[in-house]
């Protein structure tokens, strides 16, 4: 009957796949595996603490880029489409997940957009004094940067709670929030998307028993955490001279309600060290809006979207007409 067991596709770590071919040394490979195992052990330990109501643990990541529209019409094949993003935060203890959606006219993929979503999630979801532990990959543009650090420090000071930010090893960043993206991908199979807001319904239907909280964002939602005069810490580098550890060497950050940031270069029972860059101002600064208006798309993309209106229901034409463009 030509039947076989299905093998799921899984991205493999580039460093791990290079080792069998002699591209990296055994020592470098062993160090990489040790870092991966330490990060995994740390996450398992924190997950057990969350189950015992000793802390809150969340994982976060951005889903692969989505497009609008998505149709079976052949007219779409050679046309550029609108880009849509989904940033997901997942509570390991309650299994609650929140998906923040926006399209490229409402916001970019910059540190302040992700920081705004994280601050909003923590502010709305956690009302007790338990520590909050956030797990993510180590992407410097998204998670491991001064903008995100100052945003979390503001939350820590304002809510008087300790916030921890921990990073998994590159190439081994599988997390519980990935299950949300997988469920959404399954729901999107053989479905049509006419406008970006259609993703909201798909996301809500992706899990029946405990539907995901789905929020579609506009440009006026995002705050700007990149303004230097509002940052308590202009840098989160753990060293101050050439040869010292840099930002990518950080494995964990602790945001203390006193307004200080501490760091670790290794997971486990190692001591926390205060960042050498002392806070230069208080962490309760007012954050300005990141955008004052919707962002423009290119003239070519607007032209392509206008031509695609011939295969899109007429009730959605006004949306594509209203898109700002160059």
């Amino acid at each position: 009957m030509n039947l076989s067991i299905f093998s799921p596709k899984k991205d493999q770590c580039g460093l791990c796949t290079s080792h069998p071919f002699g591209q990296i040394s055994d020592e470098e490979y062993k160090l990489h595996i040790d870092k991966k195992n330490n990060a995994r052990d740390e996450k398992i330990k924190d997950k057990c603490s969350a189950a015992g109501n000793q802390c809150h643990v969340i994982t976060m990541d951005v889903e692969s880029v989505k497009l609008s529209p998505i149709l079976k019409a052949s007219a779409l094949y050679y046309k550029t489409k609108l880009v849509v993003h989904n940033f997901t935060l997942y509570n390991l203890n309650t299994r609650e997940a929140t998906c923040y959606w926006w399209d490229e006219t409402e916001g970019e993929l910059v540190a302040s957009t992700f920081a705004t979503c994280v601050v909003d999630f923590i502010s709305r979801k956690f009302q007790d004094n338990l520590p909050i532990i956030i797990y993510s990959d180590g992407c410097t543009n998204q998670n491991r940067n001064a903008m995100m650090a100052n945003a979390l420090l503001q939350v820590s000071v304002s809510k008087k709670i300790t916030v921890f930010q921990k990073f998994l090893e590159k190439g081994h960043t599988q997390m519980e929030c990935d299950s949300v993206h997988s469920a959404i991908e399954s729901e999107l199979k053989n479905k049509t998307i006419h406008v970006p807001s259609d993703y909201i319904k798909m996301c809500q239907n992706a899990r029946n028993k405990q539907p995901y909280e789905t929020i579609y964002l506009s440009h006026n939602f995002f705050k700007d955490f990149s303004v230097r005069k509002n940052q308590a810490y202009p840098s989160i580098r753990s060293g101050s001279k050439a040869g010292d550890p840099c930002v990518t060497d950080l494995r964990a950050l602790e945001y203390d309600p006193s307004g200080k940031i501490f760091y670790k270069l290794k997971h486990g029972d190692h001591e926390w060290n205060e960042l050498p860059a002392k806070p230069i101002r208080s962490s309760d600064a007012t954050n300005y809006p990141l955008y004052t208006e919707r962002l423009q798309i290119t003239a070519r993309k607007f032209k392509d979207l206008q031509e695609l209106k011939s295969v899109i229901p007429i009730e959605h034409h006004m949306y594509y007409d209203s898109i700002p463009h160059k």
Side-chain angles (χ1 to χ4, degrees), residues 161-174:
I161 56 174
T162 304
V163 179
F164 297 92
Q165 191 181 14
K166 300 184 179 182
F167 309 105
L168 298 174
E169 181 64 15
K170 181 180 179 181
H172 302 274
T173 58
Q174 299 82 10

Side-chain angles (χ1 to χ4, degrees), residues 3-69:
L3 299 178
S4 62
I5 297 176
F6 173 71
S7 299
K9 294 181 180 179
K10 182 179 178 181
D11 294 333
Q12 295 185 339
C13 171
L15 197 148
C16 290
T17 54
S18 299
H19 178 252
F21 303 105
Q23 301 294 330
I24 63 170
S25 64
D26 292 340
E27 292 77 9
E28 187 178 355
Y29 175 71
K30 183 179 182 303
L31 179 61
H32 171 68
I33 295 301
D34 288 342
K35 289 181 178 179
K36 177 201 76 170
N37 293 334
N38 290 339
R40 289 293 168 191
D41 292 342
E42 184 83 358
K43 185 167 171 289
I44 292 173
K45 182 186 71 174
D46 290 335
K47 189 173 182 179
C48 293
S49 298
N53 294 321
Q54 300 176 20
C55 63
H56 300 290
V57 180
I58 62 178
T59 62
M60 63 182 188
D61 200 7
V62 63
E63 190 175 1
S64 58
V65 167
K66 296 289 171 280
L67 301 174
S68 177

Side-chain angles (χ1 to χ4, degrees), residues 157-326:
V157 173
S158 63
K159 293 179 69 69
K160 294 181 172 54
I161 56 174
T162 304
V163 179
F164 297 92
Q165 191 181 14
K166 300 184 179 182
F167 309 105
L168 298 174
E169 181 64 15
K170 181 180 179 181
H172 302 274
T173 58
Q174 299 82 10
M175 295 174 285
E176 286 76 2
C177 61
D178 295 334
S179 66
V180 179
H181 300 160
S182 178
I184 294 173
E185 294 292 343
S186 298
E187 181 65 25
L188 287 173
K189 285 183 179 178
N190 301 318
K191 300 290 177 42
T192 58
I193 298 293
H194 295 122
V195 290
S197 58
D198 287 345
Y199 282 107
I200 300 300
K201 185 67 174 177
M202 302 294 179
C203 185
Q204 292 171 342
N205 293 337
R207 189 170 69 173
N208 295 325
K209 291 185 178 180
Q210 193 176 3
Y212 304 129
E213 180 186 22
T214 310
I215 305 173
Y216 199 87
L217 306 177
S218 63
H219 64 278
N220 52 23
F221 171 81
F222 299 108
K223 302 298 182 183
D224 190 359
F225 292 94
S226 64
V227 180
R228 283 300 183 95
K229 66 179 183 179
N230 289 337
Q231 293 180 345
Y233 283 82
S235 172
I236 58 170
R237 184 177 176 181
S238 56
S240 56
K241 60 181 183 297
D244 286 348
C246 56
V247 173
T248 54
D249 294 316
L250 296 172
R251 288 298 173 268
L253 291 168
E254 176 187 349
Y255 305 96
D256 191 81
S258 65
K260 296 181 179 180
I261 300 179
F262 301 87
Y263 73 94
K264 278 185 181 182
L265 299 179
K266 292 182 179 180
H267 289 296
D269 297 327
H270 300 276
E271 292 185 0
W272 292 94
N273 297 299
E274 187 177 352
L275 284 179
K278 303 301 181 182
I280 58 177
R281 57 184 59 84
S282 64
S283 55
D284 58 353
T286 301
N287 300 110
Y288 303 107
L290 183 59
Y291 307 109
T292 57
E293 58 185 8
R294 294 178 70 189
L295 306 178
Q296 293 184 338
I297 61 174
T298 63
R300 178 194 170 185
K301 180 173 288 192
F302 182 79
K303 179 176 179 293
D304 286 349
L305 292 173
Q306 290 298 307
E307 294 175 356
L308 288 176
K309 285 163 55 178
S310 61
V311 294
I312 297 175
I314 192 169
E315 60 264 28
H316 300 305
H317 289 187
M318 184 177 295
Y319 171 78
Y320 286 103
D321 291 338
S322 67
I323 294 177
H325 57 282
K326 298 179 181 178

